[in-house]
Amino acid sequence: MKIKKAAIFFLLLILVNNTFANDGYKLWLQYLPFENKAVSDYYRDYLEHITIAGESATQKVIQKEFEIASEGFFGHHIHPVFSKTTGANLIWVLKTHDLPADTKSKLGPKLDEIKEEGYWLKSFQGKIIITAKTDIGLLYGTFAFLKAIQTREKLENLDLLENPKIQKRLLNHWDNLNRTVERGYAGFSIWNWHRLPMHIDQQYIDYARANASIGINGTSITNVNANALVLTPEYLEKSAAIADAFRPYGIKIYLTARFNAPMILDSLPTADPLDPAVQAWWKNKTEEIYSYIPDFGGFLVKADSEGQPGPHNYGRTQADGANMLADAVKPFGGIVMWRAFVYNEKTPTDRIKQAYDEFKPLDGKFRDNVIVQVKNGPLDFQPREPFHPLFGAMPKTPLMMEFQITKEYLGQETHWVNLATMWQEVLQSDTYAKGKGSTVGKVIDGSLHGYPLTGIAGVANTGTDRNWTGHPTAQADWYAFGKLAWNPDSNIDDIAEDWLKMTFTNDAEFVKTSSEIMLQSHEILVNYMTPMGLHHIMARSHHWGPGPWVTGGGREDWTATYYHKASVDGIGFDRTDKGSNALAQYHPEWKKIWGNADKIPLEHLLWFHRVSWDKKLNTGNTLWTEMALRYQKGVEGARWMQTQWLGLEGKIDEERFEHISSFLKIQVAEAEWWRDSCLLYFQQFSKMSLPAGVEKPKYDLNYYVNFKRNFVPGI
Amino acid sequence: MKIKKAAIFFLLLILVNNTFANDGYKLWLQYLPFENKAVSDYYRDYLEHITIAGESATQKVIQKEFEIASEGFFGHHIHPVFSKTTGANLIWVLKTHDLPADTKSKLGPKLDEIKEEGYWLKSFQGKIIITAKTDIGLLYGTFAFLKAIQTREKLENLDLLENPKIQKRLLNHWDNLNRTVERGYAGFSIWNWHRLPMHIDQQYIDYARANASIGINGTSITNVNANALVLTPEYLEKSAAIADAFRPYGIKIYLTARFNAPMILDSLPTADPLDPAVQAWWKNKTEEIYSYIPDFGGFLVKADSEGQPGPHNYGRTQADGANMLADAVKPFGGIVMWRAFVYNEKTPTDRIKQAYDEFKPLDGKFRDNVIVQVKNGPLDFQPREPFHPLFGAMPKTPLMMEFQITKEYLGQETHWVNLATMWQEVLQSDTYAKGKGSTVGKVIDGSLHGYPLTGIAGVANTGTDRNWTGHPTAQADWYAFGKLAWNPDSNIDDIAEDWLKMTFTNDAEFVKTSSEIMLQSHEILVNYMTPMGLHHIMARSHHWGPGPWVTGGGREDWTATYYHKASVDGIGFDRTDKGSNALAQYHPEWKKIWGNADKIPLEHLLWFHRVSWDKKLNTGNTLWTEMALRYQKGVEGARWMQTQWLGLEGKIDEERFEHISSFLKIQVAEAEWWRDSCLLYFQQFSKMSLPAGVEKPKYDLNYYVNFKRNFVPGI
């Protein structure tokens, strides 16, 4: 064995991070080789012999994951040996009822704290025990254990009992059947419908692995702007094949239901949810779906919004619509996720008020297998919004969170921005619904109102790009979403560091510098795009780049001028009781904080208030000066990110380093574009000059207004 | 060094082919680890020290390729050391004028046989000399040398002097600016226009490497159904960035020119090629293009065909159109590739005759920088067509070949069919233009008519699929296209074997079995799709699957019934002098071979003749029986391919093995679909029962006629 160890030694001497090619496909499951022999030996002792008692599909997946990890960690030198009995093995992957009796009794009552999907990672008498009540718990525990190795934790101290705080942890794919992805910036849909059901692409398996590794247990694979075809046998057969592939990973399939599908597919004269024929149609259709997919998760519905049909077409409520579908899936254990993103241009009120106005009166009127899916803010995934006022306002109706992992309004494919920062801001926001500490996180984990059903959804950022997510760093958003879905109180600094270590390297300088970039990136982006509560000033339709001048065109609520209302008098949307009074949808505590233009934290100023250009702010600057300085600060922040990153050359593989470097070049250029065009546009109204320290714009306003690019992705 | 060798030994003991994951992205440049220490040591002695004299961009690329190859062959253990002087190095990569004087004189006059892009690989006094006149020659020589290692050639015997036989060796991408690919079955376009010019994706580099490795020296990156936007600064800037990335690899960029671009982009009232304002517009536009791309290759034009505008709109000839563009690019050394695929539904003659009728009278009327691009057959890339009658008929006008690498009519993404077999059939076809032996290959390599300009184009099969080509085996078609473009007389058996070795493994059984599959695959496919000269009986529009019943719909020449003309009287298109007389477009020798329905080889029978169902063929069968047996034989062939392949499990990585296995499952199912539906359809007319040995169809004709799938790729 001496020579073998020598072989390993030499293998490990080489810093494999400095290879040419790493396209990032392996995400945070890189299982990179260890940095030296000592580290390698330490973990090798554990990984050589592993106990797995059963032979379920999930247990086979666990075994395979250990094999993949070993191949990554050690090259082809170490092949873990698996056995069903414990023997002298140092890793036991055993369900609690499979643990040896003496071990079980020594582990004691804490074992009972493990819930359905939970696990316990426990260092015990020199061994590592990965135990759970279910197969899926074992898989989650296995990934947690491999993460501990990837992040170089000492295994002797392992004692990690984890249960997910939210039940339904989903990705939502806005993927169309023609493989375009609405608001997708990483290429096209990973679902290759044409090859299904006979060909199961390896990418589906790797997608399931990645999701299971972060605890995601469901996925809605079709666009919420739904095509009724997904409910036909042609597509059900294909969805069933995907469901079969995902099942061992604990991931259920959900489908989007087009509300008027009975009319489209079977020529019913109506889709009225109270019509018995329509109800029967959905019951039959649901039965048919379950005949293909016995553990089908349920429906996700966008209704009465942006052209989608819905119960309003028949004078019915959102509850009427949701309940009809809920009754259909109920016998099979399915649920209905009904989106609260309901608004239209005909309602003569502030767009951001409409969801609350619509849903608040329906609290308690939904079936128990309905959960209302609410975007994090009341508008539409802006770089910064206050939390959605429905959170805390629906004690009798389970609400789930909808985050957008894909960056429709946040630079799309080429900007590095760590979304976890923004999500944490929302999750930690206090609704005051039951007094101080009634955070949004506690609403959605069910603890505040005792929701029997809890959920969270992230609009996926995956696509055919070789690294899944377009920007290599956008993988971090997928990862962080999973972690926050498991536990909304997770520490986002830890999430960033873990992700960096697992994805790139454990090099301390790399991790420190990169995590600093990540944690500051959101504030930087807000500054160069939409500082001080500005919102929806992106270009029309594709939302790429600045468009504060966007106006007219049929739907006022889709223009920038509707939201910023800039004029010579000032700028901002008055949402106090002197304006739209959207503020009243929040708990009165928030009126104290946000209601006064002199006291409101500046990051929300123009969201709630209309302010004159020369108003003195508590920073000592006028509004105009403060805005200009913040845009400048954003640009400088982007440049700082670039400088920091370029200093890390050589720490990781060439390919990903260069990829991120060239995207940072674009990010800096686009930050300048945002600053220059927005300031030139608003300067028309402020009629004030740029303060010292703010760089002169490269072009005139006319240039920016007329700048057009064809075939911008994502629409 | 002893321990180091031990390390390598152990590394090499492991059969790395048996890894889990190989997505095929590395194509035939896998540089897989050696199968044992002896083999490794043998090549290692050479690869450790390499002489490269210069520092041009291409020479840096050569150095990088050696590094990539070493990393693949040896893992991270061997890093080649490069020096500018020869010293004791065993590999010299030197231009002829950089060779040491004594070496040069010993190598003698053979050095002068090396042409512009050629190279000489020569084992000389224990060293390997890779020499050439140009940087690109050196790069081609390097790839040839690395191929010798990949295919386990003995280096002592190396003496390979190669010059390309065709000058312009191009891929044609039918890629749209929205990233859909017309007739593309491997996902979407690899050109990510939105991220250009600032982000150069690693895939562009790897695309250039792959092409350079097989001698391709140009690429037309936009669809022949052209969008005029590609000629605007927005896109020229992006194309220029691609051109910059490709330049070190010897690959020039070509663009498709929409004939009415002057009208679309600058509102000219006409696009008449004889109008001075139009001519001036193209001259200016060309100057602008060259200001972005100094070595721009030229234009590729589809005119007067399938809705594309062209000179016919102004009563001008194809020569008028081509010459106008040729004059514009002439000062810069550019060329015009003018497609002969001109036809329309209003001309009351057999569609396949139109190109000849149009172009033959124009022979000699084109500028010297025009080359007419002719599809291999007179129809449209059918599984089997006779060669195009223009070959041999245009002695005064250079003709280039257009092959379709993407498999529009040959099973598209999921069928394994080796296109080289079909291409060889065409290239070796005798035009008799200058007597026996006047092959199509000699027409296009220029030797028959002394063309000063020669070229060949392949419609690319690349896309965003992780393996580039959808079907792992479709990589072989890309590879073979390059090899046949370099030398149309290349041996396709060798091409198949080399490709298998470089792509998968040198395992003898694997190579033998797989190359048998490859070499038989084309005949098998022809049998289950279009035996005996049947053609264009694919489904409407997307051309996926059978559609012999396709009729009506406005364009007769786009229907199946136009081509097979099946009735109770018989089947087939009479193209003798009693019919359309397309046969007369060929040399009279062919009339002897093809003109007699009793003597014509059966593979072209129904292409040229109309035959009654009960006609006795020289096989002893009636036409109906023969057709049915051939369909059956095709299905059995597909099953044989599947069985052969499944026997190779364990010889290569799991991922690609499974991918091909599942596609073979689809291929067998679709072969049965073809057989069953075509025989049921034709049986309506033959009114004869299926002969013994032909399996009963699974469904009735009605099922097949009504079988529809949505969102079939490639349109």
Side-chain angles (χ1 to χ4, degrees), chain A residues 3-4 6-11 14-16 18-21 23 25-26 64 67-68 71 76-77 79 177-180 185-189 192 194-195 198-203 206 227 229 232 234-235 237-238 412-414 464-471 544 654-655 658-659 662-663 665-666 669-670 708-713, chain B residues 3-4 6-11 14-16 18-21 23 25-26 64 67-68 71 76-77 79 177-180 185-189 192 194-195 198-203 206 227 229 232 234-235 237-238 412-414 464-471 544 654-655 658-659 662-663 665-666 669-670 708-713:
Chain A
I3 302 181
K4 188 172 171 191
I8 295 162
F9 177 69
F10 274 98
L11 180 73
I14 313 294
L15 282 177
V16 257
N18 292 317
T19 55
F20 308 114
D23 64 13
Y25 179 72
K26 293 183 183 173
K64 182 80 174 249
E67 285 170 345
I68 294 171
E71 184 173 324
H76 299 275
H77 301 272
H79 294 269
L177 299 181
N178 67 357
R179 299 189 69 192
T180 58
Y185 310 103
F188 295 82
S189 175
N192 193 323
H194 185 61
R195 293 181 191 164
M198 275 204 260
H199 177 65
I200 295 298
D201 201 273
Q202 179 61 35
Q203 189 155 13
D206 291 326
N227 188 327
L229 280 175
T232 60
E234 174 182 352
Y235 283 93
E237 191 187 8
K238 294 166 188 281
Q412 301 184 354
E413 50 199 312
T414 51
T464 51
D465 270 16
R466 295 190 58 73
N467 64 15
W468 299 86
T469 57
H471 203 309
W544 173 65
E654 243 175 80
E655 183 171 350
E658 289 299 337
H659 196 144
S662 75
F663 275 9
K665 205 161 58 178
I666 297 174
E670 293 192 358
K708 294 271 182 302
R709 282 293 176 258
N710 293 284
F711 302 111
V712 177
Chain B
I3 300 181
K4 189 171 170 191
I8 295 162
F9 176 69
F10 274 96
L11 182 72
I14 311 296
L15 282 177
V16 256
N18 292 316
T19 55
F20 308 116
D23 63 13
Y25 178 72
K26 293 184 184 173
K64 182 78 176 252
E67 285 170 345
I68 295 171
E71 185 174 323
H76 300 276
H77 301 272
H79 293 270
L177 299 181
N178 67 358
R179 299 189 69 192
T180 57
Y185 310 103
F188 295 82
S189 175
N192 192 323
H194 185 61
R195 293 179 191 165
M198 276 203 258
H199 177 66
I200 296 297
D201 201 275
Q202 178 62 34
Q203 189 154 15
D206 291 326
N227 188 326
L229 279 176
T232 60
E234 173 182 352
Y235 282 94
E237 191 188 9
K238 295 167 188 281
Q412 302 187 352
E413 50 199 315
T414 50
T464 49
D465 271 16
R466 295 190 58 75
N467 64 15
W468 298 87
T469 56
H471 202 308
W544 173 66
E654 243 176 80
E655 183 171 350
E658 289 299 337
H659 195 144
S662 74
F663 275 9
K665 204 162 56 180
I666 297 174
E670 293 192 358
K708 292 270 181 304
R709 282 293 176 258
N710 293 283
F711 303 111
V712 177

Side-chain angles (χ1 to χ4, degrees), chain A residues 13-215:
Chain A
L13 269 185
I14 313 294
L15 282 177
V16 257
N17 278 341
N18 292 317
T19 55
F20 308 114
N22 186 329
D23 64 13
Y25 179 72
K26 293 183 183 173
L27 297 163
W28 48 87
L29 302 175
Q30 295 280 330
Y31 303 127
L32 294 164
F34 295 107
E35 52 276 25
N36 62 48
K37 183 173 182 310
V39 174
S40 173
D41 284 353
Y42 173 71
Y43 292 112
R44 185 165 56 84
D45 287 343
Y46 285 96
L47 285 166
E48 278 185 323
H49 298 278
I50 299 171
T51 300
I52 298 180
E55 283 195 322
S56 69
T58 300
Q59 286 179 321
K60 280 182 189 149
V61 157
I62 292 169
Q63 183 165 328
K64 182 80 174 249
E65 197 64 29
F66 274 110
E67 285 170 345
I68 294 171
S70 280
E71 184 173 324
F73 291 145
F74 306 108
H76 299 275
H77 301 272
I78 305 289
H79 294 269
V81 177
F82 298 95
S83 50
K84 295 201 172 146
T85 51
T86 53
N89 295 357
L90 293 189
I91 299 178
W92 298 1
V93 185
L94 293 175
K95 286 198 223 177
T96 51
H97 67 73
D98 288 331
L99 288 170
D102 63 322
T103 309
K104 209 164 162 177
S105 79
K106 278 177 194 150
L107 288 172
K110 196 169 169 185
L111 278 170
D112 299 330
E113 292 172 29
I114 308 172
K115 305 278 190 323
E116 174 77 9
E117 294 179 300
Y119 59 84
W120 188 11
L121 269 193
K122 173 70 177 161
S123 172
F124 176 76
Q125 298 179 339
K127 296 175 290 284
I128 305 295
I129 295 177
I130 301 172
T131 190
K133 292 280 193 299
T134 59
D135 275 352
I136 293 307
L138 290 183
L139 180 61
Y140 289 158
T142 298
F143 278 117
F145 173 69
L146 292 170
K147 167 172 170 280
I149 297 179
Q150 287 176 282
T151 56
R152 304 294 184 264
E153 280 184 53
K154 280 283 168 209
L155 303 185
E156 291 77 13
N157 312 326
L158 271 187
D159 186 358
L160 180 69
L161 195 156
E162 284 269 330
N163 290 305
K165 290 201 176 175
I166 294 178
Q167 297 159 20
K168 310 288 180 185
R169 305 176 299 278
L170 272 82
L171 291 187
N172 285 182
H173 289 270
W174 290 358
D175 291 21
N176 298 312
L177 299 181
N178 67 357
R179 299 189 69 192
T180 58
V181 180
E182 187 166 330
R183 309 309 179 185
Y185 310 103
F188 295 82
S189 175
I190 55 177
W191 316 128
N192 193 323
W193 294 102
H194 185 61
R195 293 181 191 164
L196 285 164
M198 275 204 260
H199 177 65
I200 295 298
D201 201 273
Q202 179 61 35
Q203 189 155 13
Y204 306 157
I205 306 297
D206 291 326
Y207 168 91
R209 285 177 55 226
N211 280 319
S213 79
I214 52 176

Side-chain angles (χ1 to χ4, degrees), chain A residues 479-545:
Chain A
Y479 179 84
F481 170 75
K483 290 292 168 180
L484 290 168
W486 182 273
N487 178 3
D489 289 323
S490 301
N491 180 313
I492 64 163
D493 300 30
D494 293 346
I495 290 174
E497 286 191 15
D498 287 345
W499 176 77
L500 287 164
K501 289 176 181 174
M502 295 162 80
T503 304
F504 293 107
T505 172
N506 278 274
D507 178 274
E509 187 199 332
F510 179 87
V511 172
K512 183 170 176 291
T513 303
S514 302
S515 71
E516 280 167 6
I517 294 173
M518 287 172 73
L519 296 173
Q520 299 197 39
S521 60
H522 177 247
E523 201 63 43
I524 288 169
L525 177 133
V526 169
N527 276 329
Y528 67 66
M529 278 191 183
T530 53
M532 306 173 76
L534 284 170
H535 48 286
H536 214 297
I537 57 170
M538 290 73 187
R540 197 192 285 277
S541 168
H542 54 58
H543 300 158
W544 173 65

Side-chain angles (χ1 to χ4, degrees), chain B residues 248-265:
Chain B
Y249 299 87
I251 295 166
K252 281 191 184 180
I253 287 285
Y254 298 74
L255 293 174
T256 49
R258 190 170 175 91
F259 200 74
N260 63 354
M263 302 168 73
I264 294 174
L265 298 181

Side-chain angles (χ1 to χ4, degrees), chain B residues 236-475:
Chain B
L236 290 176
E237 191 188 9
K238 295 167 188 281
S239 293
I242 297 181
D244 291 344
F246 288 176
R247 195 166 290 112
Y249 299 87
I251 295 166
K252 281 191 184 180
I253 287 285
Y254 298 74
L255 293 174
T256 49
R258 190 170 175 91
F259 200 74
N260 63 354
M263 302 168 73
I264 294 174
L265 298 181
D266 286 308
S267 304
L268 264 62
T270 175
D272 183 347
L274 300 191
D275 182 298
V278 172
Q279 293 171 350
W281 188 91
W282 282 106
K283 274 191 202 296
N284 289 336
K285 179 52 72 183
T286 301
E287 265 182 54
E288 187 186 12
I289 295 172
Y290 278 93
S291 76
Y292 282 95
I293 310 169
D295 56 354
F296 175 63
F299 294 119
L300 168 61
V301 187
K302 172 176 181 176
D304 292 320
S305 177
E306 300 179 338
Q308 291 296 299
H312 281 182
N313 300 139
Y314 310 97
R316 312 301 182 189
T317 69
Q318 300 301 306
D320 293 332
N323 291 342
M324 171 189 63
L325 294 175
D327 290 342
V329 296
K330 177 80 178 175
F332 306 95
I335 64 167
V336 171
M337 295 167 293
W338 192 270
R339 293 174 92 231
F341 187 62
V342 174
Y343 74 101
N344 69 62
E345 73 279 24
K346 277 153 207 141
T347 306
T349 181
D350 185 357
R351 167 175 159 188
I352 74 162
K353 290 178 65 181
Q354 296 184 31
Y356 182 98
D357 290 346
E358 177 93 32
F359 280 85
K360 171 75 181 157
L362 298 174
D363 189 24
K365 302 229 160 78
F366 292 90
R367 298 281 189 272
D368 64 0
N369 60 332
V370 174
I371 186 162
V372 174
Q373 183 166 318
V374 184
K375 293 187 182 187
N376 58 279
L379 181 50
D380 192 18
F381 302 130
Q382 295 304 297
R384 175 171 274 140
E385 296 187 36
F387 69 92
H388 200 297
L390 275 174
F391 293 114
M394 300 279 282
K396 290 179 279 179
T397 303
L399 300 186
M400 64 188 283
M401 174 64 77
E402 178 175 318
F403 284 137
Q404 196 182 41
I405 312 176
T406 188
K407 294 183 290 197
E408 176 178 355
Y409 296 98
L410 286 100
Q412 302 187 352
E413 50 199 315
T414 50
H415 292 225
W416 186 356
V417 50
N418 185 50
L419 298 183
T421 311
M422 180 174 74
W423 297 334
Q424 179 185 251
E425 205 170 284
V426 175
L427 291 167
Q428 299 303 330
S429 292
D430 202 333
T431 69
Y432 295 103
K434 292 185 159 188
K436 203 165 157 52
S438 303
T439 61
V440 171
K442 286 183 181 161
V443 174
I444 64 162
D445 74 12
S447 59
L448 192 72
H449 302 304
Y451 291 158
L453 184 60
T454 56
I456 183 167
V459 180
N461 65 351
T462 52
T464 49
D465 271 16
R466 295 190 58 75
N467 64 15
W468 298 87
T469 56
H471 202 308
T473 70
Q475 298 178 353

